[in-house]
Each structure stands twice: as C-alpha cells, then as structure tokens.
Amino acid sequence: MNEPRQHQVSLRGASAREISRDALLEKVNQERELRNYAKRATAAASFIQRVWRRYNATKLVALALQQDWEIMMNNRVGPFTRMQISSGVLRPFLFFIMYLSTQRGEIRPTDRDCMINCFKLVLESINSSDGHQNFCSMATATIEERKIWLYQSKKLISVCLFILADFDYSKQGDQDVVLTSLAMRLAVVLTDTKGWKSITDDDHEDTNTAVKNLVQFMGSTRSGLFNCIRKFIYKLEAPFSSQGVSSCQTDDRFLIVASAVTLSLRPFHVADMDVNDDGMLDCAVKQYWVLLLTVPWFAQRLPAILVPALKHKSVLSPCFRMLLISKEKILEEISEMDRSKITSHSKQMPQVGWALANVVSLASGSDTSALDSGKFTLGLDYASYLHVVIILAEKLLDSLEIFGWIMKDDEEILGDSNTSASFELLHEAEITCGSSKLLYMDLFKPVCQQWHLKKLLSLSKDSSVLETNNLLSGNPDNLWKCELLNVANYYSCMLRLFSTLNPVVKSLPILNMLSFTPGFLSNLWEALEKSLFPEKGHIAKGYSNHGNKIYEDKKDGVSERRQKRFGGDGGNKWINVLHKFTGKSQAGNDHPESVKILSSFSQIDEHSSDEWDIELLRRGPDKDMSCLLHLFCSTYSHLLLVLDDIEFYDKQAPFTLEQQRKIASMVNTLVYNAFSQSISPQDKPLVDSATRCLHLLYERDCRHQYCPPALWLSPGKNTRPPIAVAARTHEVLSTADGTPSSSMGSVITTTPHIFPFEERVKMFREFITMDKATRRMAGEVAGPGSRSIEIVIRRGHIVEDGFQQLNALRSRLKSSIHVSFVSESGLPEAGLDYGGLSKEFLTDVSKAAFSPEYGLFSQTSTSDRLLIPNTAARYLENGIQMIEFLGRIVGKALYEGILLEFCFSHVFVQKLLGRYSFLDELSTLDTELYKNLMYVKHYDGDVKDLSLDFTVTEESLGKRQVIELKPGGKDICVTNENKLQYIHAIADYKLNRQILPFSNAFYGGLADLISPSWLKLFNASEFNQLLSGGDHDIDVDDLRKNTRYTGGYAEGSRTVKMFWEVFVGFEPRERCMLLKFVTSCSRAPLLGFKHLQPAFTIHKVVCDVPLWATFGGQDVDRLPSASTCYNTLKLPTYKRSSTLRAKLLYAINSNAGFELS
C-alpha cells in the first residue's frame, strides 16, 4: 500500500502545489492577451470618442453655418456675382448639406427649403447673360476659378442625384416634386452648354472641356449616377402612368423622368464631342449595362416619348460593342448582383434575364412601346445585336440551370416541381397593363414575328453561309462570319428560353413562325447538306436505278387514289403554299405522277449501309454545327406534325424523298452516337429535338416505307453489343423507376431500330428469361406446381370465368396456370393440365373476348380489319375492367411465347407504346374520315361554305351525342384561317382522346406482366408480329428440323416421309391453315419453330385395316385430328400420299380439330 503523499514545500516561501511548465506558459499567454485586449479596447474607445466629438462639432458648425446662410439669403439685396455665389452661397451650402442631409441619408424640411433656394439662385445665375453674374462663366475664367467651378459642380450634381434617388414618384407632396424638378433642371443645365447664356463663340472649346470633365465624373463610379437613377426608376410604375397625379404636378413629374433619362445618356452624347477619352465612356457603358439595362421593365417604366432616346444607335451601338469586348467582366458584375439578392429558394428572374429582355425590347420594339411593331430600331448593328443576344441568352440559361429552374435529365416534363417553379418565376415577372397582364415572355414577342426573321435572313443572302470550311474548320477567326450561323444560334437560344420560361405553350409560338417562314427551313438544310454530304448524290447512287425501275414498273394503289382525289387545283394550291414556306418553286418540283415509294430495299447490297453512317456526326458536332442541327431538327419536327402523306410522299414538299432519306440518316446517326457516347448537359436540347425528329421520320417510314432498312441499322452496325449483353446491361443498370441509367440502356430505349427486328425479338425473350430467373430467386417460382394458379373454367362462359378468377391477380399472373375445364353439360373434363390446357384457355378466351360480337373490341373500317376498342364498351357491365383483363391476357401470352390469331390497329398499339398519334396516322384507322379531312385541308374555296364547326357527333347505343372539340366549339365556325386547327382537333379526338380510357386500361393490365420498356423495342407493326407471329410463308425446313415424333413415329417412318412430301406441295395458304389447325395460329414464331412452345409434334394413330382391304388397295378412312393445346397433329398411318393429302385438306378446311379424333 502506497504511503500517503506529503505536502511539498515551495522555495518561494509558501506552501503551494507545483504548476507544470506548459500550464505556466498557458497562464502567461492568457494574461498577455488580456492586457493586449484592454489596450485595444481603450484605443477603440478613444477613437470612437474622437469620431463622435468630431461629428458633433462638425454638426454644430454645420447647423450654425446653415442658420447664417439662411439669414444671408433672406437679407440679400440684388443679384450676386459669380464669386459671391461660389464662395458665399455654394461653399457653406455644400458643407452643411453634405453633413446634415447626404451623409445621414434623409432630407429634413429645413434642408429642403435651403436646397430649393440655392437651386433657384444658381439657375437664375446660369440664365443671366452677364458674365460676372453667371456661375458657369467661371468654367472659362482663370485656372483657379475653373477648378473651383468643377469641384462645386461635382458636389452639386452629387446632391441632385441624392435627391433623385430619395424621390418617390408615388408621393403626393408638392415640395418633393418642386425640389426634385429643380435639382434635375440644375443637373441638366450644368452638363449642357446650350443653357449657359453668357458663353461666347470663343469660349466653346473651354466650355466643352469643362462639361466633358464634369460628365466624365458623372460616368465614373464615384458619382453614383447610374445607381441613383436605378433607384429612381425602380420606384416608377410599369407601365408608365401619370394617373392619380394632379395636373399641376404632371409637367414637373414628367420633367423629372425626362431629366433622369437625359443624365443617364450624357456620357454617350459627350463622347461625340471633339475630346478623346474612351475610358470615360467605357466605364459609363459598363454601369449602364449593370445598373440600368438590368432594371425590370426598363423601357416600360418610362414615358413612350422618351424610349426612342434609349433605342438610338448612339446608345445601343456602344453598349453592344462594350459587351462584346468585356463580356466576362460585365456578366460577372451582373451575376454578383444576383448572388447578393437571390437565394437558392428564390424565384426571382436573374438580372441577366432582364438585360436580355430589355435589349430585345429596345432593339425591336416600336416607338409607341408596342412589342410587335414590325421593324428594328433604325441604324441597328444587326450583327452585334445577334451576338449580344446570344451571349445574354446563354448566360441566362446557365443561371437558370444553376438555380434549378431547368429540368434535369431524370425529371419528367409534366407534373414536376420545375413547372411550378417556372410559374412562380413568371408570376414575379408580370405587370398589369390596362385590363390585361403583361408577362416577361411578352417582351420577346418580336422574336416570334416573321418580319423579325425575314429581316435577319435578308442580311445573310450575301454571306457565304454554305461554305463547309466556315462551318467545320473550328478556327476562331471564322467565328460569327457566317450570317446564317448567327441567325441559327440566335433562334436556337430562343427555343431553349421559350421551352424553359413558357411553361404552358413552351416554344410553340416561335416554332410556328420558324416552320412557316419562306426559305428558312430549306436554307438550313442546304447548309447542313453541303456540310454533311459534300459529294452530291453520293448516297442515293446505290439505289437510284433500282428505285426508278420500280417506279416505272409498278403503281401504288393508295398513291393513285390520293392523286386522283386530291390532284386538282385545291391540292396544288396547298402544295404551292408549302413550297413558298420552304423557299422552293413549284416549277422545279412538279411531280405529275405520284412517286412510288420503294417497296423493297432488300436488293441493295449490305455494304451500302456504311454510306448512311455519317462520319462527321460520329465524332459529335461542334458548337456551330450543333446550333444548325438543333434549330433544323426542332423546326422540321414541328412541321412534320402538320404534313400529311400526300404532301410528304406524292408532292414531296418541303423536301424530296432523297433529301428525306438524308435527313433521316443524319438524325439517326446523331442520336445513336449521342446516346452511345453519353450526353453532356450542353447537348441535351440538341439531342431532344433530334430524337423527336427521328421518331417522327421513323414512324412514318414504318407506316409507308421510304428508306432502305440499312439506313436505320447503319449507325450501330459495327458497334452494337451482343443481344444478351445489351439486354442484361439495360435491365441491371435501370433505375428504380425503370429509366436506364447507362448509355447503352438509353440506346436500346431511344433508338431500338438500330438492332434488326430478329435481334430485338431475342432481346425481348431475354428480358422475360431474366425476369423469370429473378422471380425464381425471389421464391415466387419455387418448383413445379408449387405456386401455380388453379382455375376452373366453364366452356360456355370462358371469358366471364377467366375474368372473375384471374383479373385480381395482376402481376401474379406470371405464375403458371392450371386449368380444369367444365363441359357445357356441367361435367368436369378428363385430363391433367401440363401446359397445354392453359395455352388452349388463353387462345380461346382471347378469340371469344376480342370477337367484335362480344362488344369490347371492334374492327377498323380499313381493308385489313384490325382490332380497336369499341367506344360503346364503357356502357357494358365491367367494360373498362374487362379491357384491362384482356391486357393481362395478351401480356400472359407474350410472357409465355404463345401466339394469338389477331392484330391490333396501328393507332391502338401506339397508345400501348406510350406514343402520341398525329394526323397522318388517321388513314390507318378511318380511311373515309381521313379523305374528308384532306378535302377540307385542300379545299380551294371558302371553308365557311361547308358549314362546319368545332364539334364531332358520336353515335352509341342508338343515340347521338355532340362533343365539342374545344370549349364553345359548337359556336365556332371553321374558316380558312382555323381549318388546320379543326383538322388536327378532329384527328386528335379520334386518334388520342376517344380511345384514351380504353388504351389506359389495356395498358395497365399489359404492364402488370410486360414491362413498358420491353415493348418500346418495337413499332406498331412489329408489336403485332410479336403477338401473332410472322406474316410470311412457313419455312418447311425449319419446321421439319424442330418437329417431335411420338406414338411410334420417327423421322424415317413411311407416313412421316409422305407427310413432308405432301406438306411441301401445299400452297402457302394451305400450309398456314395446317399450322393453324395444329397450333391455333396460322403464323410461325418470329424466331423460328425452335421457340414454339410446346414443340410441333406428330403423333402416330394406329388404324387397323382388314387384310383383304389392304390387298384391294383400300386406305385408312380416319381423318387426322389435332390437339392445339399441345401443338400436336394426330396422324393416322396412311398408305398412300394421295389419301394423306386429301384427308389433311378436308380436316384443315372443316375448321375442326380435337373433335375429329
């Protein structure tokens, strides 16, 4: 045990605990810091006392001076000389005013009276023609007097600007108006030698120098001129109004505003004098940009009569020049203002946005403050204007993206927070103009006018806009030399702005203008064509002869009917209009006969696909090319929405089919390489517009081919991955909401057509295989029969029983189904379901439910009689739910690889694939209605004669119902001006709105089993092939290779050999009928009979024949039968091929199968 610790004795003479060295040093440092702090506090207190004593003493002196000054002014007799005004009036006045008012930031009533008296005195002196009494005559006197005049004039202007910044236009005080008007008059007179009465002709050089020095001070940051004017203008109402102001004040208030504008422009006007000081003007112009052009509604806050002064070329040209020279510094200062005001949650328009809007308004607005005058400002430097707008627009887009107001890649367009943010942003940027509101985007109305674009295009006619080297060299010296490139860059930025800041109609106004401006679209394409396809006709050479031969030998029946119906003057007139829009003459593009679209491009050599892969776009376009591509794709995709098939194929307006193929190859290569190499945020607008254009061109080609198949396959011919790799990459790297996060996943969902159809079918089956494996790992499929679904189906009520027992299962329907049938007599049918009965159930329930007699689906009026939801189904009991159930049935068939014997309408499949249908697709749904609409579109007379309105009549269950296509449609007459709206409203109703509830229900059921991203691999016709198999003849060798034999048959059996000989000798129609007899579907599986489940089987049926009958030549009399649920042909042992052929034909034409057994 340790001994108790003894007290230590300190050598310092007292008992204490010893302190460590570090603690001692820490204690010493703390004491030293306390002493230093006490010294600093004492020094600070002394400094504060000195400042306060000085301020107090100065204030007392200023008050005393003010009192003496007031006494002097009240007792003055007669006019003062200029020196008396300078030393006796202005010197004490400026002293006490600076200390009592300017530094304190407020004007007391006594100070206001002193200012009024002083300003009146100085103005009276300046108006005097006596040089000894005129204060401004000091500017031409001795050097000492000149210095005194300049100093005191600067101080006077500073006081005047302080009064202006403090003035509130909405106040009703007469004294405030008087004081501010006097201050503005004085500031204007001091900077204008024309108001100096005592100046002689010999003094002009001295006075100009004096005024120049004074204005130089005003243009510097020390004067605060632009900051004070900014504060004043911010208090003005927008738009400018003098209502609520008494008539006696109106003149003074207008004078104040006019004087403020005059002072802001003084540096611009003084620059025209014979003095050389560009530095003064540069500083003033920078402040003008940062502090005035960023004021919201700058021109609208001012009286209309003052706006032309702001729009004059002497003001706009230096501004444009300065921004082009010092854009980084000016934009940084503007951004600094944003950072000081805007938080991450703010919805204020960035300052650069107001600078952009004000520039557009000043450069293209009218003298009466209207925004669509139809002309630019006189003497405008158009090239500089384009460059400035592009710089500001790009900066604004960057700012909006920084603050989160531009949608990210993974955000939906509709229903996201950015849409509401745009509304809040624009709500802050609106003013009330009379009875209506003026929005921020209204300042850009001139941009949406044709005169605006036509004027810019007219300036590019003499420019070498089509020089390939200018577009692709990348040399900075060539930047902006191409006028068309400037225009394209300008409108490309405008499209992005409208899409972001116009949340309701987005870029629709500007796209309408661009699409229908004569010559614009053709000019864009001409520039692109010469850049991307330098050798004229190179691509078309491989198939031109083949196409011409087909054109001479064949005639397209559909095209002939169109030409016969619409080949008159009405159609020609509409085409003339389209040719005018695109800058083409009718004489050079007159097609007396309908152009035959090539029906077979398969004869083209495979190596020709390389010609469709554009090398320049594989590396990605440069900035200049991106602008041209973005504008062209956006404009042309918009125009494609209103082009019908007559104009596209027969009249070939606005482009020939050869040009259409080049355009298709261009956007196809661009989009594929953009997604395969990942998209940068800067390229997203370009890729989005190119993708829209690509989809519209591809969908049109799917309906009516005009491109060779190699064109669509060419970009990925050598770079696309194997099927299994692509499928697994797409699925594994998909996010939770099903959106691919990898570049390959984006390629598969955006441009699936770069994979051949057979590969996409394999990819689809691979998706299903992976899904089954995932379910197996999750325990949903534990073993045979363990998770199967047991159902009992009555033969006479197969649809109703299936609906009641399976509809609620949703995605669990992926599990296997075990079916037990109950005959019509009510007795259970013998047999066990090993997969065949479930197949029979799916085929039978779909055959019954999709029959037009059942009422859920009907057939289109076209010749192919495709299926589409019956609009009367909504009135049936559980009609919508039944259609949703049928979606699950189709999904189950696709999931299990079971073919069904029907096809859906192109329009209906488009809805299932999540795609919008347009006018040109109406011909696939209702040919007669499409013809009638085309008649209206190409009608040569007044459409009012047809007595049409914006309604459509629907007949259902014997009752007619009138449906308005737009609010108040029954009262809106169709005219030549709105007939396009009427046509597209009718098409939209028939193609989209009418079947939307049914397609949504069917889609909901289908999506329970088949992922929507899987279906997007296919177009409408390919979806029908996926559902019902190939539409070509049966490959006998493939079927024979994948056939099973049971019951004693083998491949070498005599009857089997005879069967194949007979089968080969059948007509294609008879072979399809035999396949339907055995499998219930007349079409072969898309990937071959290897994928037919269950496999095609020939089962031996032994038939005993009497010995005497055999010697007499009698053959088996029994008919062959089939078990469609097992894809089995029960074939008796026939002795002769003639008997086998006759029996097979009888069986397959009797429309029976199992019951023949």
Side-chain angles (χ1 to χ4, degrees):
M1 189 171 179
N2 295 333
E3 296 182 358
R5 193 174 178 181
Q6 297 181 353
H7 289 288
Q8 297 180 358
V9 179
S10 174
L11 297 178
R12 289 171 291 181
S15 297
R17 288 183 179 273
E18 284 294 334
I19 187 170
S20 66
R21 180 175 180 275
D22 292 339
L24 179 61
L25 292 176
E26 180 68 21
K27 181 178 179 181
V28 171
N29 287 334
Q30 291 178 356
E31 292 175 350
R32 184 183 296 113
E33 289 180 1
L34 287 175
R35 289 193 299 271
N36 290 335
Y37 175 79
K39 290 180 180 179
R40 291 196 302 271
T42 303
S46 300
F47 177 76
I48 293 173
Q49 291 174 357
R50 287 198 304 271
V51 170
W52 168 250
R53 285 195 297 268
R54 183 177 62 185
Y55 168 77
N56 192 42
T58 304
K59 180 180 178 181
L60 294 176
V61 172
L63 289 173
L65 280 176
Q66 184 178 20
Q67 293 178 357
D68 296 340
W69 189 88
E70 290 176 350
I71 294 173
M72 179 196 67
M73 292 296 292
N74 293 331
N75 297 330
R76 70 187 176 99
V77 178
F80 289 154
T81 64
R82 64 187 186 190
M83 293 305 300
Q84 289 177 332
I85 295 175
S86 174
S87 60
V89 177
L90 291 181
R91 186 176 182 182
F93 170 80
L94 292 173
F95 179 83
F96 68 74
I97 285 297
M98 294 296 293
Y99 279 97
L100 298 180
S101 292
T102 306
Q103 293 184 0
R104 295 176 59 182
E106 63 176 351
I107 301 176
R108 301 177 303 163
T110 55
D111 298 336
R112 182 189 301 113
D113 296 336
C114 293
M115 291 177 182
I116 292 175
N117 292 332
C118 180
F119 293 159
K120 286 181 177 180
L121 177 63
V122 175
L123 286 172
E124 290 175 0
S125 170
I126 295 175
N127 287 329
S128 174
S129 58
D130 187 352
H132 294 285
Q133 297 179 3
N134 194 312
F135 171 70
C136 289
S137 63
M138 293 178 64
T140 60
T142 63
I143 296 177
E144 187 65 26
E145 289 182 352
R146 293 180 184 183
K147 291 181 179 179
I148 295 174
W149 177 88
L150 181 60
Y151 173 80
Q152 292 181 341
S153 296
K154 291 179 180 179
K155 292 295 183 179
L156 282 174
I157 287 181
S158 297
V159 174
C160 293
L161 294 176
F162 165 72
I163 295 172
L164 178 67
D166 185 70
F167 178 69
D168 190 347
Y169 197 90
S170 61
K171 290 183 179 180
Q172 302 298 319
D174 293 339
Q175 291 299 314
D176 293 326
V177 175
V178 172
L179 172 61
T180 310
S181 62
L182 286 173
M184 290 297 98
R185 286 175 58 192
L186 177 59
V188 170
V189 170
L190 284 175
T191 55
D192 186 4
T193 57
K194 295 178 181 179
W196 299 2
K197 300 296 184 180
S198 63
I199 303 302
T200 63
D201 295 338
D202 297 335
D203 298 330
H204 278 306
E205 182 176 353
D206 293 336
T207 55
N208 288 339
T209 303
V211 170
K212 178 257 181 181
N213 293 331
L214 185 58
V215 174
Q216 184 177 8
F217 162 76
M218 293 172 58
S220 66
T221 56
R222 292 180 293 116
S223 68
L225 168 68
F226 294 99
N227 195 25
C228 292
I229 295 177
R230 176 185 176 89
K231 292 179 181 179
F232 167 72
I233 294 179
Y234 248 109
K235 299 175 185 177
L236 300 178
E237 297 179 357
F240 180 84
S241 174
S242 60
Q243 295 180 358
V245 181
S246 60
S247 58
C248 62
Q249 296 176 340
T250 302
D251 293 339
D252 286 337
R253 290 178 181 268
F254 175 79
L255 174 63
I256 295 171
V257 179
S259 300
V261 172
T262 301
L263 292 176
S264 67
L265 301 182
R266 275 285 188 255
F268 297 91
H269 298 154
V270 171
D272 296 333
M273 296 181 181
D274 190 16
V275 289
N276 298 319
D277 192 350
D278 293 335
M280 177 271 295
L281 180 60
D282 292 346
C283 181
V285 172
K286 290 178 182 178
Q287 293 185 79
Y288 187 83
W289 264 113
V290 176
L291 296 174
L292 291 190
L293 286 179
T294 58
V295 174
W297 309 102
F298 179 48
Q300 287 69 34
R301 293 176 186 269
L302 304 176
I305 196 173
L306 299 179
V307 175
L310 301 174
K311 298 168 56 176
H312 196 268
K313 63 179 182 180
S314 63
V315 178
L316 292 181
S317 295
C319 289
F320 293 166
R321 179 181 60 84
M322 181 53 58
L323 184 68
L324 295 176
I325 295 174
S326 307
K327 65 178 182 180
E328 291 83 4
K329 184 175 182 180
I330 293 176
L331 293 178
E332 177 60 28
E333 292 183 13
I334 294 176
S335 300
E336 186 62 32
M337 296 176 63
D338 283 330
R339 287 191 287 269
S340 64
K341 295 181 180 180
I342 299 180
T343 65
S344 59
H345 303 289
S346 175
K347 301 303 180 208
Q348 296 180 15
M349 175 64 64
Q351 299 293 304
V352 69
W354 287 113
L356 173 62
N358 290 328
V359 166
V360 173
S361 176
L362 291 173
S364 54
S366 72
D367 295 343
T368 57
S369 75
L371 299 175
D372 53 354
S373 64
K375 62 180 180 180
F376 282 103
T377 298
L378 185 63
L380 180 69
D381 183 356
Y382 297 100
S384 298
Y385 166 71
L386 288 175
H387 301 166
V388 166
V389 171
I390 292 169
I391 292 172
L392 295 176
E394 291 178 346
K395 179 63 177 178
L396 174 58
L397 289 168
D398 292 341
S399 300
L400 295 177
E401 187 172 1
I402 291 174
F403 289 107
W405 296 332
I406 293 182
M407 290 171 292
K408 306 300 180 184
D409 295 350
D410 57 347
E411 291 173 339
E412 297 294 332
I413 294 178
L414 296 178
D416 68 352
S417 59
N418 288 288
T419 301
S420 59
S422 297
F423 276 112
E424 294 179 25
L425 177 66
L426 295 177
H427 178 71
E428 295 294 330
E430 67 177 25
I431 57 176
T432 302
C433 184
S435 60
S436 61
K437 289 186 177 180
L438 191 63
L439 297 175
Y440 172 81
M441 294 307 297
D442 291 334
L443 294 175
F444 294 89
K445 277 186 177 180
V447 178
C448 302
Q449 304 294 325
Q450 279 197 356
W451 66 263
H452 192 277
L453 177 58
K454 287 180 179 179
K455 181 62 177 179
L456 297 178
L457 288 177
S458 66
L459 300 174
S460 66
K461 288 183 179 180
D462 298 331
S463 300
S464 56
V465 298
L466 305 178
E467 289 292 338
T468 303
N469 294 334
N470 281 356
L471 292 175
L472 303 176
S473 64
N475 188 348
D477 295 337
N478 291 333
L479 190 62
W480 308 119
K481 286 186 178 180
C482 176
E483 289 292 341
L484 182 61
L485 182 59
N486 291 346
V487 177
N489 203 347
Y490 176 92
Y491 280 99
S492 176
C493 293
M494 288 299 154
L495 281 176
R496 296 170 59 192
L497 275 180
F498 273 71
S499 298
T500 304
L501 299 177
N502 219 5
V504 178
V505 297
K506 295 190 175 294
S507 57
L508 184 61
I510 196 168
L511 284 176
N512 284 335
M513 182 273 298
L514 293 174
S515 300
F516 297 103
T517 297
F520 178 64
L521 198 59
S522 60
N523 286 345
L524 283 180
W525 171 243
E526 189 176 359
L528 289 170
E529 186 178 28
K530 290 197 175 184
S531 302
L532 300 175
F533 305 94
E535 297 183 17
K536 197 170 184 180
H538 172 67
I539 291 182
K541 184 165 63 174
Y543 56 84
S544 59
N545 294 334
H546 174 66
N548 292 335
K549 184 176 184 302
I550 293 179
Y551 172 69
E552 293 294 337
D553 295 344
K554 293 185 177 182
K555 294 296 179 183
D556 187 349
V558 175
S559 181
E560 284 185 354
R561 289 194 297 271
R562 288 175 181 159
Q563 188 75 1
K564 184 176 180 180
R565 174 98 178 171
F566 302 110
D569 296 338
N572 289 333
K573 179 181 178 182
W574 181 253
I575 297 304
N576 288 336
V577 175
L578 272 176
H579 282 302
K580 182 179 178 182
F581 287 158
T582 54
K584 299 165 66 176
S585 63
Q586 178 67 13
N589 295 276
D590 186 41
H591 300 274
E593 299 156 321
S594 62
V595 175
K596 174 67 187 78
I597 308 303
L598 303 184
S599 60
S600 175
F601 288 96
S602 60
Q603 301 179 32
I604 304 174
D605 294 336
E606 181 65 25
H607 66 79
S608 65
S609 63
D610 295 336
E611 299 176 350
W612 296 111
D613 190 13
I614 305 173
E615 176 68 25
L616 293 175
L617 294 180
R618 259 188 282 169
R619 301 189 302 267
D622 58 18
K623 182 179 179 181
D624 295 343
M625 182 64 71
S626 296
C627 293
L628 287 174
L629 288 169
H630 175 229
L631 193 60
F632 177 82
C633 292
S634 300
T635 305
Y636 190 46
S637 60
H638 184 72
L639 184 61
L640 281 171
L641 301 181
V642 299
L643 284 182
D644 56 56
D645 287 349
I646 301 169
E647 297 153 351
F648 190 91
Y649 293 101
D650 298 342
K651 301 296 183 180
Q652 298 193 27
F655 301 115
T656 65
L657 291 180
E658 179 185 348
Q659 291 175 320
Q660 299 287 8
R661 286 187 279 270
K662 289 183 178 180
I663 294 171
S665 67
M666 176 186 72
V667 294
N668 193 39
T669 305
L670 173 63
V671 173
Y672 171 76
N673 287 282
F675 281 105
S676 61
Q677 300 171 11
S678 298
I679 308 171
S680 63
Q682 294 80 7
D683 295 332
K684 190 175 185 303
L686 166 61
V687 176
D688 288 344
S689 61
T691 302
R692 284 193 300 271
C693 189
L694 172 64
H695 287 166
L696 289 170
L697 291 171
Y698 178 69
E699 289 295 334
R700 199 178 286 261
D701 182 69
C702 292
R703 287 188 300 101
H704 194 177
Q705 189 179 14
Y706 64 94
C707 293
L711 184 150
W712 305 112
L713 301 174
S714 60
K717 179 184 175 183
N718 301 319
T719 58
R720 55 176 176 258
I723 300 303
V725 174
R728 296 180 185 277
T729 302
H730 177 265
E731 285 297 291
V732 171
L733 296 181
S734 292
T735 57
D737 59 354
T739 303
S741 58
S742 69
S743 58
M744 182 49 59
S746 299
V747 167
I748 295 173
T749 55
T750 308
T751 58
H753 55 260
I754 60 106
F755 293 89
F757 176 57
E758 294 77 10
E759 293 187 10
R760 281 179 278 141
V761 175
K762 293 178 182 178
M763 196 181 303
F764 177 79
R765 300 312 309 175
E766 184 68 21
F767 287 152
I768 293 177
T769 301
M770 293 165 55
D771 185 73
K772 289 181 178 180
T774 302
R775 293 178 60 246
R776 193 177 299 111
M777 294 175 60
E780 298 181 32
V781 184
S786 59
R787 294 295 182 93
S788 61
I789 302 168
E790 304 284 346
I791 60 174
V792 179
I793 301 296
R794 294 173 294 172
R795 287 285 184 184
H797 301 81
I798 188 170
V799 178
E800 293 79 4
D801 290 351
F803 173 72
Q804 293 177 1
Q805 299 180 56
L806 297 178
N807 190 49
L809 296 178
R810 300 180 69 86
S811 63
R812 287 187 295 150
L813 198 58
K814 293 180 179 180
S815 303
S816 59
I817 302 175
H818 283 195
V819 182
S820 299
F821 282 107
V822 177
S823 66
E824 295 184 1
S825 60
L827 298 177
E829 295 182 359
L832 297 175
D833 184 6
Y834 292 101
L837 293 180
S838 59
K839 173 181 178 292
E840 181 183 357
F841 163 73
L842 290 175
T843 55
D844 289 350
V845 72
S846 61
K847 185 184 300 182
F850 286 110
S851 172
E853 290 76 16
Y854 198 83
L856 293 175
F857 278 76
S858 59
Q859 293 179 331
T860 61
S861 60
T862 55
S863 58
D864 42 16
R865 313 297 291 175
L866 300 175
L867 292 177
I868 194 166
N870 189 348
T871 56
R874 64 166 63 93
Y875 302 109
L876 301 179
E877 183 180 1
N878 297 324
I880 299 296
Q881 292 82 354
M882 288 289 287
I883 290 180
E884 183 179 9
F885 166 66
L886 292 182
R888 296 191 177 98
I889 292 296
V890 170
K892 179 66 174 176
L894 291 173
Y895 195 80
E896 302 296 344
I898 299 172
L899 300 179
L900 302 178
E901 188 68 16
F902 54 82
C903 292
F904 293 114
S905 167
H906 177 92
V907 174
F908 180 61
V909 178
Q910 286 286 84
K911 299 293 152 298
L912 302 183
L913 301 179
R915 297 166 189 165
Y916 189 86
S917 296
F918 299 98
L919 171 65
D920 52 294
E921 300 176 42
L922 186 60
S923 59
T924 64
L925 180 66
D926 192 334
T927 307
E928 193 64 29
L929 177 60
Y930 181 76
K931 288 182 179 180
N932 293 336
L933 290 180
M934 291 301 99
Y935 177 78
V936 174
K937 181 177 181 179
H938 301 286
Y939 187 67
D940 197 20
D942 190 352
V943 179
K944 285 185 178 180
D945 300 338
L946 303 179
S947 301
L948 298 173
D949 55 28
F950 279 77
T951 62
V952 62
T953 303
E954 236 183 39
E955 186 172 353
S956 181
L957 301 179
K959 295 182 179 180
R960 289 191 173 185
Q961 182 181 4
V962 176
I963 298 173
E964 292 185 339
L965 299 175
K966 60 193 303 186
K970 62 182 179 181
D971 300 322
I972 302 176
C973 180
V974 178
T975 63
N976 289 336
E977 289 74 22
N978 63 13
K979 66 179 180 180
L980 276 181
Q981 297 180 22
Y982 169 76
I983 292 169
H984 287 277
I986 287 280
D988 177 61
Y989 177 77
K990 289 292 184 180
L991 298 173
N992 300 295
R993 292 165 52 189
Q994 189 178 40
I995 65 172
L996 187 61
F998 311 102
S999 59
N1000 284 345
F1002 194 94
Y1003 174 83
L1006 181 64
D1008 285 338
L1009 289 92
I1010 303 297
S1011 172
S1013 64
W1014 302 351
L1015 294 178
K1016 290 182 179 179
L1017 294 173
F1018 310 100
N1019 58 47
S1021 60
E1022 291 170 344
F1023 176 86
N1024 280 327
Q1025 293 184 54
L1026 185 71
L1027 178 64
S1028 57
D1031 54 359
H1032 45 74
D1033 191 14
I1034 293 173
D1035 187 343
V1036 178
D1037 294 335
D1038 182 49
L1039 177 60
R1040 187 171 186 171
K1041 181 180 178 181
N1042 294 283
T1043 298
R1044 294 174 57 244
Y1045 304 98
T1046 61
Y1049 275 148
E1051 188 175 1
S1053 300
R1054 181 171 179 271
T1055 306
V1056 171
K1057 291 181 178 179
M1058 285 193 302
F1059 168 79
W1060 289 116
E1061 291 175 0
V1062 170
F1063 188 72
V1064 171
F1066 277 170
E1067 296 291 332
R1069 181 185 61 84
E1070 294 171 337
R1071 284 195 287 266
C1072 291
M1073 290 179 64
L1074 176 60
L1075 184 63
K1076 182 176 182 180
F1077 176 75
V1078 179
T1079 66
S1080 75
C1081 185
S1082 62
R1083 297 176 180 177
L1086 292 175
L1087 300 179
F1089 286 97
K1090 178 182 178 180
H1091 296 271
L1092 181 65
Q1093 295 295 332
F1096 189 89
T1097 304
I1098 300 178
H1099 181 77
K1100 183 177 182 179
V1101 178
V1102 180
C1103 298
D1104 297 328
V1105 180
L1107 184 60
W1108 63 269
T1110 304
F1111 289 124
Q1114 182 179 356
D1115 204 344
V1116 176
D1117 192 47
R1118 184 171 180 176
L1119 289 170
S1121 61
S1123 178
T1124 57
C1125 55
Y1126 294 106
N1127 295 335
T1128 299
L1129 173 64
K1130 299 177 180 179
L1131 186 66
T1133 54
Y1134 297 111
K1135 307 301 180 183
R1136 290 189 294 273
S1137 60
S1138 59
T1139 305
L1140 189 149
R1141 176 184 175 87
K1143 295 296 184 182
L1144 279 177
L1145 289 175
Y1146 182 85
I1148 64 179
N1149 285 286
S1150 64
N1151 199 24
F1154 184 80
E1155 58 268 28
L1156 296 177
S1157 301

